[in-house]
Amino acid sequence: MSFAVPQTPLRPLPGAYLTTPSNCPPQLSQINQPTFGAPTAPSSQQYRLQPGQASAQSKQENDQVTAKPQFEDLKPVERASRTINDALLRETQYPELDSYVSQGVSSDYDISSQLAWAPFQRTKMYDIPEKIFDQYNRAQMSTAMGLFADLNHAWVTIDNALYLWDYTQPDPPLIGFEEQQKQITAVQLTSPRAGVFVPTITRLLVVATSSEVHLVGLASQPAPTGGQSVALYSTGMQISVKGIDVSVIAGSTTTGRVFFAGKDNDDVYEVTYQQEERWFHNRCGKINHTGKGLNTFTPVPLLSFGAKTPQECVIDMVVDDTRSLLYTLSSRSTIRVFHMTANNGLSLVITRPLGATLRDISHMPNALSELLSVNMSIISIDPIASREASKMHLMATTSTGCRIFMSATSASSFYSSVAGTQNAPNSMQVQHVKFPPSDPVRPPPSQQQSSSQTNPYGNNGSASNSSRLLIPARKAQRFAPGYFFCFVARDPQSPADTLFLSAPDSGRIARPQDASRSSRYHELGMWLGIGARAEAVGLMTAPFAATSSPQGFANELAVQYDKPVSEMAVLTNSGVHTFRKRRLVDMFAAMIRIGGGDEGFEAEMKKFIRRYGRVETASTALAVACGQGLELTSDARVAKITDPEVLEFARKAFIEYGGKPQFYENNVVDPSVPAIDMVHPSPRHEGLSLYVARLLRSIWKAPIMQEGMSPSTGLIVTPSVPISKLQSISQDLLSLKEFLNTNKNFIDGLSGPDALGRASTKQEEISLQAEHRALHSQVVLIDKVIEGIAFVQVLFDERIEEIVLSLSPETRQQVRKLTYEGLISASHGKELAKELVKAIVNRNIANGSNVETVAEALRRRCGSFCSADDVIIFKAQEQLKRASEAGSDSELGRNLLNESLRLFMQVAGSLSMEQLQWAVKSFTGLQFYAGAIQLALIVAHELDRGNKALSWIEDNRPEQDPRAAAFEARKRCYNLIHDVIVTLDNNPPDIADGQYSLSVKRRTEAYKVIDTSEDEAFQTDLYDWYLLQKKKDKILDIQSPYIINYLQRRANLDRDIADLLWRYHSRIGHNHQAAEVQLSLARSEFPLSLDERIEYLGRAKANASMPSPGIPRQTRYQLSREVGDLLDIANIQSDILQRLTSDDRVAPERRPAIAKELNGQLLPMNIIYNQYADQAAYFDLCILIYQIADHRNPADIRATWQNLLGRTHEETLQRPTDERPQPYEAVIEKVRSLGTRLNLSETMFPIPDLLPMLERYAFEFQNGVGPETWVIDTLLDIGVPYESLFPVLEGMFYNDEAPFQGQNQRYIAADIVHVVKRWLQESSRGKVKLLGGEANAAAVSQCLLMLQQSGLDGRRGEECRELRVRIEHLLG
């Protein structure tokens, strides 16, 4: 027979119980349990992004973040330092040669009739000494002339004699080489091989005669009268060259190799030389690297029979040491490239005939010209070093004045660039052709404007390619970064040459008009008559190089205030002409001088701005106003321009043409970004920054010192930048500072608050504020640099080696790497400067000097590096040292200690950590514990005046929070206090004769400072330290207002701290607060077992029931109820855990996972019910959950009770026979247990529903098993009132419900009789009313009468009659 029960609707399961048993047998089918506490889960699609949506959303967020402008709250010197770095970076991004001398042709020249725009200036003309003419008049065979321009010497060969003289000196002595008798054919000066000659011989003079090549040593040194003094030394090295007729010599300055060639053929020879003779090798030898002559490898045009062709020979030879290449130019305009390798190796890698060169040019657009034909020839070649251009290798000049730029490539160039090696090229191509200028030599005087041509390259336009102004070009020379000297014999009737000079216009190349295209090869040119025939041209100064790499190499503007200008010398048959390259600042000054008044000045300014932009104009004008302009005086001296009119026009240009700041309001996308950060400063500010950057260029990234070792003196420390250079920069900055101070009232941004009153709009006001911020930052930086340079000078005025050796190894290493930028603008530089100042002071103290005198001198020269606070610190240190000498127990010693502490506290904000450590250690050593602790506390406060550390602690110490740095700064101070406490604890107080000694007093003073400190961050750190030292009991004994806050902050992060918190509350009688902490522990995410959480809840329930000061009864009741409910849930969770871990239905491999899930945090009731109790068919626990959740649905409760009875019955039958009780006994146990735990709740223990269930169960499944009245006895035994049982039984009897119908009604009748019998017995014993009252008694009597009339017979019938009679009797 099936156990009929009401059905409940099916529900979706929120979880799956993997080992839920199969359905019950048909006779006891399980009723579906109701859904309890399962909230409607949101659809998974509600939170799931569509494919690609997540990435798009992330990209949008990233774009928004990127769009936010970056701004920082920088100090003025940091802001200015960043501006300087940006300016220097832009200077290094000057286009490299390959970018503006690109594929194609050009003829961009600017040849002005105004001398102000001339790129070069002739400085002086030196006549050839009369002694030379005297010797020349005696010549019999030949003469030749040349220059050693870098030595300021010229030379002349007259037959077999070589004479040198210093052309810069009046009536110079002649230095002669006359030791041989042969005619001299060629002379060259080069560098010798390393280690071959004595160090005094710095140059090697190669003299070729008709039969020998002589190597002559040359020593040079600065002369007292200026210039260089030269001496020649015979080396005894010469080789025979008979039959070669040497005419060309070239040398490698890097390796010292010497090459030569003759007029008879195109062979290339090398002179080898070494210090000593060796086996099979003389001291001096000769190598022919080309064998029989190169013409055997070069195709020669077929000539008619009997024609005579001149022998091809080498006419020019140059070396490119940066690429290890040797270039030769033959008389047939053939260019050959040789690769120099180790062990005197030289291999021919490229042969470039003139026809191949012309063929390359013919493929270029607009390159077809009569200037480039077979009728012209190449007259000179000039190498282009790898540091100047990465692709361009060579420039060849033609007899028509065209310049042909060539590049050489190698098949393995890619791999060589990867490996870092240098491979020989194997092909050469023409990259660019620069045609001669097309303008007249000089425009008519009426034309004041510049006559220029500007034609684009390649296919973009047509360059002027027909100018014959440089025909015939007789000699040409190129110097880096593109200075071009071309000597033209324009008048066949006159031997005098005309000189054409040109130089790159760096300002226009750096600032192309079309930013989308590469820069054009703009050049400034000029014509000059030299009145004689040119013999040689040479560079008097060091080769130009703004950087060591192609990018930025040619930036002349960047170094115009930093390096000497390039100077060249031209030797003619009448004398030596010297030229200097004019800087842009010199052109600007000259432009002002000859500008023609205000109107002409305005026109020239517009022209200058149009060419070079406002920033460069402002920077140049400022430089001129500060005295950077140079001019040639009447006595041919180069001097600074001091003309007041020129300086005034320059000042006017800087102020009036400096532009205005720009406010980019549309860029404000984040309201949190200050509007001032959206302002771009004016070109005037950028010009000022650019000028300062160019002044500081050579020192900004340079270290302040460099170390070396000397065998005699040991360590040597020298400045990395010469002191003279530092003084020059400082003087320039002082001039700039004076200019800004003098004119600040006229410069927007420096004129002060009055300028804001002239602003008509809010945007203008913000722009002026931004301009002031930017300019003020530069002014501050200028002051800092001046003081920084002064500080470096002070360092080197002292015994710098002793100062460096006194530093710690770590500090010394940092000082070794310290740059001027770091010294001036970085915080670590300031700290290192303090270390150096400290070392200087200590050294002077050790030498007996007065510390105040030394410190005051330092402060006067470089105040920012030795401030007034530093002076006080030095005084405090001196007082502390005197106290140590006097003894801490003496009255003088204690007074000195107190005075030292007072001074230290006065400058606590300026103390470095090292100074604080030293002071605390010294105080502790002198047993001045209270002073040590007090000083550390006040320094910690000064380091974090905003108390950011405490707010960071209160926010649970988030990671990557800037406030953490403030705490770390304080922590270093607190650690010193910990050390003092350790010292105190390790030195217990002395007791003598029952009296505490002085040490006790000092100990008490120290702890008084600790206990009364109001620094909560310190107190927090102290408690942390106590815990780290395992001193928990010490924390429980603390009586401090900060201890509870500390424990509360840490309780959520540390279980031990939480335990300490509730113990501390319990110790001081705060029972309610202790219960709250215990409740939070039970709910916490700490790795606690379920039993531990139940234990915490039990303690919390006990504490919550106890009185606590200041806590109302209602609050205590609410907490007690909350704890009680949670404890009930925890017990249910514990029951489920125990049952599942022993349930046979659960697979063994699943049990650890279940234990992990349940033996931990307290789970919500819906999880416990839906995923565990309901799924596992623990129906008794489901009923308990109903009660805790106050779930009152009668249908759910009836269904669960019905399932519980059926499940209990089935489980009992499944047990082994020898261990199995009767099913009804198991049911009795369940009913008893639940009745007790449910406290006979009318809702959860519904007698009207439960009693019929039990009666049906007893009738259908336990009929005849066990006592007849076990159902009634069970309910009565657990305390169910008779008044509840009797009406239910009476209703069952009257309703005639199945299965109690017909004869089966006697079972219900028997239970009614049994209930009445026990009820009557119990009511008869005491003073209670009969059957609960007369009404109940009458109803019972009436029911018994009905039972008699229904035919109840046998024993029960007799009992029914007797009971009715007795009741009637008692009622009667």
Side-chain angles (χ1 to χ4, degrees), residues 409-542:
T409 57
S410 169
S412 59
S413 60
F414 172 77
Y415 300 100
S416 65
S417 64
V418 174
T421 59
Q422 206 170 51
N423 287 25
N426 55 20
S427 64
M428 178 173 278
Q429 303 81 29
V430 175
Q431 292 291 328
H432 187 86
V433 176
K434 187 68 180 275
F435 286 103
S438 60
D439 293 341
V441 174
R442 282 192 183 274
S446 61
Q447 292 184 3
Q448 298 297 326
Q449 72 276 12
S450 171
S451 175
S452 64
Q453 63 180 63
T454 54
N455 296 304
Y457 299 163
N459 297 326
N460 298 327
S462 176
S464 175
N465 59 5
S466 59
S467 172
R468 304 180 60 84
L469 287 179
L470 296 183
I471 297 177
R474 192 178 60 81
K475 182 185 291 290
Q477 183 81 40
R478 179 189 186 274
F479 304 103
Y483 306 147
F484 181 57
F485 283 62
C486 185
F487 301 92
V488 185
R490 302 180 66 175
D491 186 358
Q493 305 300 323
S494 172
D497 290 331
T498 301
L499 175 59
F500 175 73
L501 305 95
S502 67
D505 192 348
S506 301
R508 299 178 71 182
I509 292 174
R511 183 180 174 269
Q513 294 182 352
D514 187 354
S516 63
R517 297 175 56 190
S518 300
S519 300
R520 298 155 63 106
Y521 190 9
H522 291 283
E523 286 188 292
L524 295 172
M526 63 180 292
W527 293 91
L528 195 65
I530 57 178
R533 178 182 174 87
E535 299 294 338
V537 59
L539 188 63
M540 300 170 60
T541 54

Side-chain angles (χ1 to χ4, degrees), residues 34-256:
T35 302
F36 170 71
T40 305
S43 171
S44 61
Q45 296 181 354
Q46 182 177 351
Y47 302 106
R48 186 178 301 137
L49 297 174
Q50 298 297 326
Q53 183 179 349
S55 59
Q57 178 178 350
S58 176
K59 182 178 185 300
Q60 181 180 2
E61 294 174 355
N62 291 337
D63 290 343
Q64 291 175 354
V65 173
T66 305
K68 293 181 181 180
Q70 300 294 324
F71 69 96
E72 298 178 62
D73 186 14
L74 300 175
K75 297 179 181 178
V77 69
E78 294 173 340
R79 187 179 303 280
S81 175
R82 178 174 294 184
T83 304
I84 295 300
N85 283 324
D86 291 342
L88 291 175
L89 178 61
R90 287 193 298 270
E91 295 276 73
T92 62
Q93 293 172 347
Y94 182 91
E96 58 181 284
L97 182 66
D98 297 323
S99 65
Y100 58 86
V101 185
S102 56
Q103 185 75 31
V105 300
S106 67
S107 59
D108 293 298
Y109 295 92
D110 203 320
I111 304 175
S112 175
S113 60
Q114 293 184 357
L115 294 178
W117 293 97
F120 294 91
Q121 185 176 35
R122 180 158 50 185
T123 56
K124 212 164 190 180
M125 193 273 183
Y126 301 95
D127 294 330
I128 296 177
E130 289 297 329
K131 298 175 184 178
I132 297 297
F133 287 112
D134 292 342
Q135 295 293 334
Y136 180 78
N137 292 331
R138 300 172 188 171
Q140 298 179 1
M141 299 180 64
S142 65
T143 61
M145 302 179 70
L147 277 175
F148 302 148
D150 58 332
L151 298 179
N152 295 335
H153 276 65
W155 59 267
V156 62
T157 62
I158 301 174
D159 295 337
N160 66 323
L162 169 66
Y163 299 103
L164 285 72
W165 75 94
D166 185 348
Y167 57 79
T168 64
Q169 300 297 322
D171 193 20
L174 296 184
I175 304 169
F177 175 70
E178 303 171 322
E179 281 75 7
Q180 55 85 36
Q181 302 301 319
K182 302 296 182 181
Q183 175 189 356
I184 298 176
T185 58
V187 176
Q188 185 60 271
L189 186 66
T190 184
S191 298
R193 288 182 184 270
V196 176
F197 305 106
V198 294
T200 55
I201 295 180
T202 56
R203 299 293 184 90
L204 188 63
L205 185 60
V206 184
V207 181
T209 68
S210 57
S211 61
E212 291 178 324
V213 171
H214 298 263
L215 302 183
V216 181
L218 186 148
S220 65
Q221 58 183 4
T225 58
Q228 296 282 329
S229 64
V230 169
L232 300 181
Y233 297 90
S234 175
T235 64
M237 294 183 180
Q238 63 270 345
I239 57 171
S240 173
V241 291
K242 290 182 179 181
I244 297 179
D245 194 9
V246 178
S247 59
V248 180
I249 305 173
S252 168
T253 58
T254 302
T255 63

Side-chain angles (χ1 to χ4, degrees), residues 670-869:
D670 186 353
S672 64
V673 178
I676 194 172
D677 288 318
M678 295 295 104
V679 177
H680 186 78
S682 67
R684 181 187 302 106
H685 163 264
E686 294 187 24
L688 170 62
S689 304
L690 185 60
Y691 178 57
V692 174
R694 288 170 176 173
L695 290 179
L696 303 180
R697 181 180 181 275
S698 60
I699 69 170
W700 190 244
K701 299 293 184 180
I704 65 172
M705 65 179 65
Q706 54 190 6
E707 296 183 6
M709 296 299 296
S710 170
S712 57
T713 60
L715 177 67
I716 298 177
V717 181
T718 57
S720 60
V721 178
I723 295 297
S724 59
K725 178 66 175 178
L726 295 177
Q727 293 172 341
S728 174
I729 294 173
S730 180
Q731 188 60 45
D732 290 338
L733 290 173
L734 286 171
S735 299
L736 174 60
K737 178 181 178 181
E738 182 182 359
F739 173 84
L740 294 175
N741 287 335
T742 304
N743 296 279
K744 62 182 180 181
N745 293 331
F746 307 101
I747 301 174
D748 288 342
L750 289 181
S751 56
D754 296 340
L756 295 178
R758 299 193 295 268
S760 58
T761 63
K762 183 65 176 178
Q763 287 80 1
E764 289 185 14
E765 181 179 346
I766 295 173
S767 298
L768 281 174
Q769 291 173 351
E771 181 78 356
H772 170 74
R773 184 178 70 173
L775 288 174
H776 174 69
S777 299
Q778 289 296 324
V779 172
V780 172
L781 178 68
I782 292 169
D783 288 336
K784 287 288 186 181
V785 175
I786 293 172
E787 289 194 354
I789 292 176
F791 176 70
V792 174
Q793 290 177 291
V794 169
L795 276 179
F796 286 97
D797 288 343
E798 299 283 336
R799 292 281 301 172
I800 184 65
E801 289 82 7
E802 295 180 7
I803 294 173
V804 170
L805 290 174
S806 67
L807 301 174
S808 66
E810 180 182 357
T811 303
R812 180 179 173 184
Q813 180 66 21
Q814 292 175 350
V815 168
R816 189 183 295 119
K817 298 178 180 179
L818 180 63
T819 63
Y820 283 89
E821 177 191 10
L823 176 67
I824 293 163
S825 62
S827 58
H828 76 275
K830 183 178 180 181
E831 296 302 322
L832 291 176
K834 288 186 176 181
E835 288 295 324
L836 291 169
V837 169
K838 180 180 176 182
I840 293 174
V841 173
N842 289 338
R843 177 182 173 274
N844 283 273
I845 292 175
N847 293 336
S849 301
N850 183 275
V851 61
E852 191 168 351
T853 303
V854 176
E856 188 63 29
L858 284 169
R859 189 178 66 83
R860 189 170 53 253
R861 293 188 63 179
C862 41
S864 62
F865 295 92
C866 183
S867 62
D869 286 352

Side-chain angles (χ1 to χ4, degrees), residues 1073-1281:
Q1073 290 85 343
E1076 289 179 330
V1077 176
Q1078 289 162 343
L1079 176 60
S1080 65
L1081 274 170
R1083 288 172 166 171
S1084 69
E1085 297 182 358
F1086 293 133
L1088 303 175
S1089 67
L1090 187 59
D1091 290 339
E1092 289 175 317
R1093 296 178 188 273
I1094 292 174
E1095 180 182 356
Y1096 279 127
L1097 289 172
R1099 291 178 180 272
K1101 188 172 184 180
N1103 281 323
S1105 63
M1106 297 174 65
S1108 185
I1111 305 300
R1113 178 179 298 178
Q1114 181 66 24
T1115 303
R1116 288 192 287 114
Y1117 171 75
Q1118 292 176 353
L1119 178 61
S1120 179
R1121 181 174 180 180
E1122 181 182 1
V1123 172
D1125 291 343
L1126 195 60
L1127 182 59
D1128 292 338
I1129 296 174
N1131 287 325
I1132 292 174
Q1133 184 173 332
S1134 178
D1135 290 342
I1136 292 176
L1137 173 62
Q1138 294 176 6
R1139 293 189 190 184
L1140 286 177
T1141 52
S1142 60
D1143 198 324
D1144 295 337
R1145 297 171 297 169
V1146 180
E1149 61 273 12
R1150 171 65 177 153
R1151 292 179 183 178
I1154 294 175
K1156 182 178 179 181
E1157 294 169 1
L1158 291 173
N1159 192 19
Q1161 291 189 1
L1162 301 179
L1163 302 177
M1165 283 188 295
N1166 61 330
I1167 300 296
I1168 295 175
Y1169 177 83
N1170 290 320
Q1171 296 188 12
Y1172 296 101
D1174 186 19
Q1175 296 290 328
Y1178 297 149
F1179 300 113
D1180 53 342
L1181 300 181
C1182 292
I1183 295 172
L1184 294 175
I1185 293 173
Y1186 292 162
Q1187 185 184 34
I1188 296 172
D1190 199 22
H1191 183 70
R1192 297 173 177 271
N1193 189 327
D1196 293 344
I1197 296 171
R1198 283 195 302 270
T1200 305
W1201 271 107
Q1202 189 70 60
N1203 287 335
L1204 174 62
L1205 297 180
R1207 182 65 184 167
T1208 304
H1209 180 84
E1210 293 297 328
E1211 286 180 348
T1212 306
L1213 293 179
Q1214 292 174 4
R1215 295 183 185 180
T1217 305
D1218 53 347
E1219 300 177 0
R1220 183 176 65 193
Q1222 290 296 332
Y1224 80 90
E1225 294 177 341
V1227 171
I1228 290 174
E1229 183 61 30
K1230 286 289 184 184
V1231 173
R1232 286 178 180 275
S1233 174
L1234 279 177
T1236 303
R1237 296 182 68 173
L1238 295 173
N1239 200 22
L1240 298 180
S1241 169
E1242 293 182 359
T1243 305
M1244 302 303 155
F1245 201 82
I1247 297 302
D1249 296 326
L1250 184 59
L1251 180 55
M1253 291 182 197
L1254 292 172
E1255 290 289 357
R1256 282 192 292 273
Y1257 171 77
F1259 175 77
E1260 294 179 353
F1261 296 98
Q1262 296 292 290
N1263 196 357
V1265 180
E1268 293 180 358
T1269 59
W1270 66 267
V1271 173
I1272 301 302
D1273 291 338
T1274 298
L1275 295 177
L1276 290 175
D1277 291 345
I1278 61 177
V1280 178

